[in-house]
Amino acid sequence: MTPELQKYYEDRFSMMGSDGWKDLVEDIDTMIASLNNISVIHDEQSLQFKKGERSILAWLKTLRQVSEGADEDLNERNV
């Protein structure tokens, strides 16, 4: 792994280990739960918007696991 890429992952994992990140993940869980209520969706445009919101929140929620997997993969390949 290049030094730049290694620093990228070190910085990312440092951020994800902070109390602020833990608070963000809790907020994300709350937001995802509120988006699961489809009874408030009145039209297709609102549905598509909520799908987009949920997609972004899911990406953020899994960012740590995805980053860890990518880091492990890169280390195994010695990229």
Side-chain angles (χ1 to χ4, degrees), residues 31-32 35 46 48-58:
M31 293 172 77
I32 288 172
L35 289 172
S46 297
Q48 295 303 325
F49 185 80
K50 286 198 178 288
K51 283 176 61 176
E53 286 180 308
R54 199 163 190 313
S55 176
I56 291 167
L57 292 169

Side-chain angles (χ1 to χ4, degrees), residues 1 69-79:
M1 183 180 314
D71 183 52
E72 289 173 13
D73 188 47
L74 289 170
N75 281 322
E76 287 175 5
R77 293 181 186 188
N78 291 320
V79 173

Side-chain angles (χ1 to χ4, degrees), residues 12 15-32 56-64:
R12 179 169 278 199
M15 173 189 67
M16 292 175 179
S18 71
D19 289 340
W21 183 262
K22 293 172 191 165
D23 291 341
L24 176 62
V25 171
E26 288 177 14
D27 290 345
I28 288 170
D29 288 337
T30 302
M31 293 172 77
I32 288 172
I56 291 167
L57 292 169
W59 173 77
L60 276 170
K61 184 168 173 67
T62 61
L63 185 58
R64 183 181 191 125

Side-chain angles (χ1 to χ4, degrees), residues 37-50:
N37 182 4
I38 61 170
S39 65
V40 298
I41 300 172
H42 301 291
D43 56 27
E44 185 176 347
Q45 185 178 8
S46 297
L47 173 64
Q48 295 303 325
F49 185 80
K50 286 198 178 288

